[in-house]
Amino acid sequence: MSVAAPAPAASADPPSEPATEPGAKPGAKPREWPVHLCVAIIAISFAVYVTSGLWRDPFTHVLADNVGDQAFFEWLMGYGYYTVTQGADPFFTSLLNAPLGVNLAANTSITVYTVLMTPVTHLFGPQVSFVTVLTLNLAGSAFAWYLFLRRWLVGSALAAAVAGLFCGFAPGFISHANGHLNWTAGWVAPVVIWQVLRLRQPGRWLRNGVLLGVLLAVGFSIAAEGLFYTALACGVFLIVWAVARPVRREAAEALPTVLRALGVTAVVAGVLLAYPLYMHFAGPQTFSGTGFNQRYFVEDAAAYLSFPSRSLGGFIGWHADLAPNRTEETSFFGLPLVLLMVVAFGLLWRRSDPGRRATLRAVGLVGIFFFLLSLGPRLNIDKHEFDIALPYSALVHLPLFNSALPIRFALGVVGVFGILLALLVDQLVGRRDATGAGGVLNRTLASAVALSLLPIMPLPVRIQHRAPEPAFIADGLWKQYVPDGGTLSALPFALNVTADGQRWQAYTMARGGQQFRIPDGYFLGPQTTGEAGKKDVGRIGAPPLATDWLFLRAAWYGYVTRLTNADRAQARADFQYWGLDAVFLAPEITGSDHQTLNRSAVEATARDLLGEPEEVGGVLVWRIRRGTDPVDR
């Protein structure tokens, strides 16, 4: 017996496996694998469709709405191969942000993915590994939710499939498909919840506790923030469900077994995560809170009723620009679906017995909890912030909550809507032969389901062209200018908005052999070094030096300044701090969202600062003599 159904009066112990399907002969095991295979094929087909722009050319196509994050995750793929082959620390690297390095545990290291994908990364490149994981994340999330709902909640495979596909391809996850390999791993939630529900199995507390501990370690590596949300959802659900009068006895009888299993989970997860957690909270180059503004990355209440930009509704003009950016359209369910969920909850409640109502109450409160948290510390409606304090304002300074972005709590509502959708469709399937008023209601609800899901049908993610890898990097010509472990940089220096240098470093790591470091990069790090940095909130990238801004200003605005010897002295100091051996300028500089960066201004600035370059492997190269270049004029 799962928590999703009322406990029978004569049974205290839940069976460990699902009951036989309704209508099946006693003792007969239904053949479900053909249905599972069909759902898996549909999920993979949808995922390939969503990511089709990248698959057409993963080497020169990039996500137009998030060039920087794609470069970061491609870098992680390359670093994964470097970690496996060189025995490097998976949670700290000195290859980025020279000379200080980057705490990867405080970032999104996706270590499990990067290690598993090492063969693909080495043979085909980080670009292919990135789009492969992105595609499998979306498909796997839909399939995992389907299996979870089929096992624990509904008897209809159709209901589980419809709801599973909704959860895997909900607007929020399609939005995060713009570069986030952590947030598109929506399969983590149903897999972890599945194992949590199994903790009550009599006599299996040791095995189930070990399995959950391993799952938590894997989930932390892939999507730590998502795992935190999953734990919150489980906690709220189980507490609300357990205190309900119809199931209180059942919950009390299961409690000792669950507590023993959780003790095992804590030990296993604690051992596996001891070093990553130390690095995350106390390691070098860590920080407090997050590098993003928690007042800015909040959900606009009106966004729940709008349609996402990459959907059929958005395509025909029903989209409202209510998100911080296109990667954070985390709700955007549309008015029809929100209304349908409200009606579905009321209908399911009216038709349920007390045991099932305990489950519905817990699911509903989880949805309300995550909805309120997603709104952030102040209420925002239609781009206007009201001076109305919301629950998150009381949590914003607590550990973990101070590192989370409120807007992403809306992804928890996806699971709640998925459960309600599955239960509703399950009832429609079970009552499909109803006549009279019941038949009319069923047909009306079935039409409402189709009409509410159609406008949020996803469109493929937007892509744009990006600068191809120059022969200078691809053919290893850079080794003539930089010793092993030396420092090399593309111009402008690597940031989230100018990410070419970081991803080209990723490609060299994926090939193996001699490596170079780069200054700067796209990552989350401290505002300053030492203990002060650990206590302060984080930031995106390294604190900028004057020479960073010199070249970024040229690339973004085409601004070419008349340099003085004071500028050269500053650049000389910056180059020496970075330990820079050479810089190069490729024929193209990739911008974001189809933006064309001003290469000619960057070249003019570099020539003025460093003199005439060498032309090697399709790029312009300037050697740097540490402490000497650039020379005064």
Side-chain angles (χ1 to χ4, degrees), residues 120-180:
V120 176
T121 300
H122 181 59
L123 293 173
F124 303 103
Q127 309 95 316
V128 175
S129 290
F130 173 85
V131 67
T132 299
V133 172
L134 179 60
T135 303
L136 292 178
N137 265 350
L138 294 171
S141 299
F143 190 64
W145 273 108
Y146 156 75
L147 292 176
F148 171 80
L149 295 168
R150 185 78 177 92
R151 163 62 180 87
W152 292 100
L153 279 170
V154 297
S156 165
L158 175 63
V162 170
L165 290 170
F166 163 76
C167 289
F169 298 94
F173 289 101
I174 296 300
S175 174
H176 280 288
N178 287 300
H180 291 168

Side-chain angles (χ1 to χ4, degrees), residues 427-435 439 442-443:
Q427 289 215 359
L428 295 179
V429 172
R431 298 167 181 251
R432 60 185 178 274
D433 296 328
T435 59
N442 276 7
R443 289 190 292 273

Side-chain angles (χ1 to χ4, degrees), residues 252-334:
E253 291 172 347
L255 183 60
T257 301
V258 171
L259 291 178
R260 284 195 293 269
L262 287 177
V264 175
T265 296
V267 172
V268 173
V271 170
L272 294 176
L273 293 175
Y275 179 64
L277 287 174
Y278 161 75
M279 288 296 293
H280 181 91
F281 291 105
Q285 291 297 103
T286 191
F287 50 90
S288 297
T290 179
F292 298 93
N293 187 342
Q294 291 181 302
R295 287 281 293 270
Y296 179 71
F297 285 93
V298 299
E299 195 67 274
D300 191 305
Y304 277 89
L305 307 180
S306 183
F307 295 102
S309 57
R310 300 307 297 164
S311 68
L312 291 180
F315 179 75
I316 62 177
W318 294 349
H319 168 68
D321 187 17
L322 297 173
N325 55 57
R326 291 190 175 182
T327 309
E328 300 292 348
E329 294 180 359
T330 47
S331 60
F332 289 82
F333 297 109

Side-chain angles (χ1 to χ4, degrees), residues 377-549:
R378 293 290 186 273
L379 179 64
N380 288 263
I381 300 178
D382 198 22
K383 295 185 177 182
H384 179 74
E385 182 183 87
F386 294 88
D387 191 20
I388 300 175
L390 295 177
Y392 205 89
S393 61
L395 304 173
V396 71
H397 297 296
L398 296 180
L400 301 183
F401 287 98
N402 66 351
S403 301
L405 295 186
I407 191 170
R408 294 174 179 173
F409 280 95
L411 296 175
V413 182
V414 171
V416 172
F417 278 15
I419 290 171
L420 294 177
L421 185 62
L423 293 172
L424 176 62
V425 175
D426 189 53
Q427 289 215 359
L428 295 179
V429 172
R431 298 167 181 251
R432 60 185 178 274
D433 296 328
T435 59
V440 173
L441 177 61
N442 276 7
R443 289 190 292 273
T444 301
L445 288 173
S447 300
V449 169
L451 291 175
S452 62
L453 294 180
L454 186 61
I456 61 173
M457 184 74 69
L459 299 178
V461 290
R462 300 195 315 149
I463 57 96
Q464 70 175 56
H465 171 78
R466 64 176 171 182
E469 183 184 11
F472 178 72
I473 297 294
D475 296 343
L477 301 176
W478 62 269
K479 298 176 184 178
Q480 303 171 19
Y481 296 82
V482 182
D484 191 12
T487 307
L488 173 70
S489 182
L491 294 177
F493 297 95
L495 295 169
N496 59 323
V497 292
T498 53
D500 287 338
Q502 185 164 342
R503 63 185 179 89
W504 289 335
Q505 184 193 43
Y507 307 160
T508 67
M509 289 191 292
R511 297 186 186 103
Q514 181 178 333
Q515 298 302 324
F516 60 85
R517 301 183 301 163
I518 66 172
D520 295 333
Y522 177 38
F523 57 90
L524 294 180
Q527 299 276 0
T528 186
T529 58
E531 291 302 315
K534 291 182 179 181
K535 296 177 182 179
D536 203 354
V537 296
R539 57 165 292 118
I540 299 173
L545 302 181
T547 312
D548 287 311
W549 176 237

